[in-house]
Amino acid sequence: MRYIRVAVLVIAAVALAVVLAQPVRAEVSFDFAYSNLSQHGSWLVSAQYGHVWQPREYNREWNPYYDGHWVYTDMGWTWVSDYEWGAIPYHYGTWVADPDDGWVWIPGSVWAPSWVVFRTGSDYIGWAPVPPGFSVGMSIDFGGPSSFVFVSSRDFLAPRLRTSIIPMNRTSVFMNNTTVVNNIVVQNNVVVNRGPDYRIVERATGHAIREQRIESVARVAPFANVSRAQLAVAPERARQGLRVAEPVPANRPLPVADKGGNRQRNTSPADASRPLNGREAARPNTQERATAPAAAMPSRAADAAQKANAKANADRSAQAQRDASVKADQSARTQANAKANADRSAQAQRNASVKADQSARTQANSKANADRSAQAQRNANVKAAQSANAQANAKAKADQTARAQANPKANAQQSAKAQANAKAKADAKAKKDNPEKKDQSSDKPPTPEAKEGSHQ
């Protein structure tokens, strides 16, 4: 029974310790960020931004917003990083392209689902980290094309966006065809990023978007089982305005030890006034270790050194694998771009062939119409000629009929005339032969034939 009571007390103590270990608010201090990020990269000193952090994955072609994806939550558009260290740099502070060191992270203490500004157009969506001087509700210049990454709107919800990122050399084109969408606001003392209208993304992707609770999304806060209340800032702080970054001056002493137990260089007051350069901020105090006699180093320290070497080798191997993955992704993008160009060229050729076929069909139709019109004209001419011939034949027949009708009358008249002439000749001869009958013949009335002959 006593053992049971002891076990119960132990369980209760552990549970209480877990409860007490959970922070009241999920605000992140510089010391916390330094401790958790040191093993994943290097702390550098920027002439402009002070102490900054750069991940081990960085190379010249790396961008902080390549490896991850977007999730729509009750806090708006939330970036979920593929990196195990992504819970801090993508939800606190912001990223900036330092002119000397490239992409670096500037610390901040206020949580947000994503500290980015979006650009949207009819076919593309882009995003970029807000500048270090950004405050919620503040209007500010959000940078040029080099800060933004773009994807096709239909790829915005891709599970791994790196393979969908449009090459940087085309970014300036999309900058001119998109507009800024800055929907970072404070609601119930929590920063919310509504970003692009989710309905636009639904139409572009063809998929319905279901809003997720922020508690159900992994790797969005540095603590396990984070609650919505922990993401809020103090009300008085929210009223004063929330800044994305809180740069740490270069002359501020760094924490004594990082999470791996490596002692950091102690900064004296004299050294504090001198900014550290390059990667000096992340370098352990090699002078202090060198002065310790090798024989006096405990075996535990030797084991730690071996473990550190093994971890360094593992880190280098992991980095080599990541570099190989980056190269493979770049090769895949190059091949995808080449395929896309080939597809566009083939489509252009198909379009040209279709246009040529359409033009040939149009010309053939025009020729067929012209041929039909010419045939119709010929047919009309034939019909007109046939009509004219029919009319001419009809007139010839009419003329023949008229002539046929006129001939008997003319013959009769000629016959009567001939008879009258013959009678007149006979009468003249009779008078000449018999003058006595002259008076008698003159007293007789003329016959009809004689009358007609006299008229003739």
Side-chain angles (χ1 to χ4, degrees), residues 293-436:
M297 181 179 294
S299 60
R300 187 161 41 183
D303 292 341
Q306 290 178 354
K307 291 180 180 179
N309 290 335
K311 183 179 183 303
N313 292 333
D315 289 342
R316 282 192 291 272
S317 177
Q319 181 62 38
Q321 291 179 355
R322 284 191 289 269
D323 292 341
S325 177
V326 168
K327 290 182 179 179
D329 289 339
Q330 291 172 349
S331 176
R333 283 200 304 274
T334 301
Q335 292 177 357
N337 291 337
K339 184 178 182 302
N341 291 334
D343 290 342
R344 283 192 291 270
S345 177
Q347 185 61 42
Q349 291 178 356
R350 287 192 292 270
N351 293 339
S353 177
V354 169
K355 289 183 178 179
D357 291 341
Q358 291 174 345
S359 177
R361 284 196 298 272
T362 300
Q363 292 177 358
N365 292 336
S366 298
K367 185 177 183 302
N369 292 334
D371 292 341
R372 283 193 291 269
S373 177
Q375 185 61 42
Q377 185 64 42
R378 286 192 293 270
N379 293 339
N381 292 338
V382 170
K383 288 183 179 180
Q386 291 174 347
S387 177
N389 290 336
Q391 292 177 358
N393 292 335
K395 185 176 184 302
K397 288 180 180 181
D399 291 342
Q400 288 175 355
T401 301
R403 283 195 299 271
Q405 292 175 355
N407 287 337
K409 183 179 180 181
N411 291 336
Q413 290 177 351
Q414 289 177 355
S415 177
K417 185 177 181 180
Q419 292 175 1
N421 290 334
K423 186 178 182 301
K425 288 180 180 180
D427 289 343
K429 183 179 178 181
K431 288 179 180 180
K432 182 177 180 181
D433 294 339
N434 191 4
E436 296 178 357

Side-chain angles (χ1 to χ4, degrees), residues 208-221:
I209 295 177
R210 183 176 62 86
E211 183 181 275
Q212 299 187 33
R213 292 177 58 83
I214 195 66
E215 292 90 344
S216 67
V217 182
R219 301 193 304 277
V220 295

Side-chain angles (χ1 to χ4, degrees), residues 70-78 157 187 192-194 196 198 202 207-217 228:
W70 289 106
V71 176
Y72 191 71
T73 71
D74 49 1
M75 300 297 175
W77 289 108
T78 303
L157 296 179
Q187 295 179 356
V192 175
N193 191 344
R194 293 299 175 194
Y198 75 93
E202 281 185 331
H207 298 288
I209 295 177
R210 183 176 62 86
E211 183 181 275
Q212 299 187 33
R213 292 177 58 83
I214 195 66
E215 292 90 344
S216 67
V217 182
R228 193 171 322 198

Side-chain angles (χ1 to χ4, degrees), residues 132-352:
F134 176 78
S135 294
V136 178
M138 176 182 179
S139 177
I140 197 170
D141 181 13
F142 292 107
S146 61
S147 299
F148 279 84
V149 294
F150 283 90
V151 296
S152 171
S153 300
R154 65 177 179 272
D155 296 328
F156 183 68
L157 296 179
R160 192 171 186 228
L161 284 166
R162 172 182 281 272
T163 57
S164 302
I165 299 296
I166 295 172
M168 293 298 295
N169 57 6
R170 298 175 58 194
T171 300
S172 58
V173 176
F174 304 120
M175 292 287 289
N176 297 328
N177 297 319
T178 55
T179 56
V180 170
V181 178
N182 174 24
N183 286 337
I184 301 178
V185 297
V186 177
Q187 295 179 356
N188 298 324
N189 301 320
V190 179
V191 176
V192 175
N193 191 344
R194 293 299 175 194
D197 190 333
Y198 75 93
R199 290 168 294 188
I200 296 176
V201 179
E202 281 185 331
R203 288 194 293 269
T205 59
H207 298 288
I209 295 177
R210 183 176 62 86
E211 183 181 275
Q212 299 187 33
R213 292 177 58 83
I214 195 66
E215 292 90 344
S216 67
V217 182
R219 301 193 304 277
V220 295
F223 310 107
N225 302 320
V226 67
S227 68
R228 193 171 322 198
Q230 289 175 307
L231 300 177
V233 297
E236 59 275 10
R237 186 176 182 186
R239 287 192 294 269
Q240 293 173 359
L242 300 179
R243 294 176 59 87
V244 61
E246 298 172 6
V248 179
N251 58 3
R252 172 177 168 174
L254 294 173
V256 174
D258 62 20
K259 194 172 181 179
N262 294 324
R263 180 174 296 277
Q264 188 65 31
R265 183 168 72 88
N266 293 324
T267 307
S268 66
D271 290 335
S273 61
R274 180 181 65 85
L276 303 180
N277 50 42
R279 303 181 183 275
E280 184 179 349
R283 189 181 301 129
N285 190 349
T286 54
Q287 181 178 2
E288 179 180 295
R289 290 188 308 202
T291 57
M297 181 179 294
S299 60
R300 187 161 41 183
D303 292 341
Q306 290 178 354
K307 291 180 180 179
N309 290 335
K311 183 179 183 303
N313 292 333
D315 289 342
R316 282 192 291 272
S317 177
Q319 181 62 38
Q321 291 179 355
R322 284 191 289 269
D323 292 341
S325 177
V326 168
K327 290 182 179 179
D329 289 339
Q330 291 172 349
S331 176
R333 283 200 304 274
T334 301
Q335 292 177 357
N337 291 337
K339 184 178 182 302
N341 291 334
D343 290 342
R344 283 192 291 270
S345 177
Q347 185 61 42
Q349 291 178 356
R350 287 192 292 270
N351 293 339

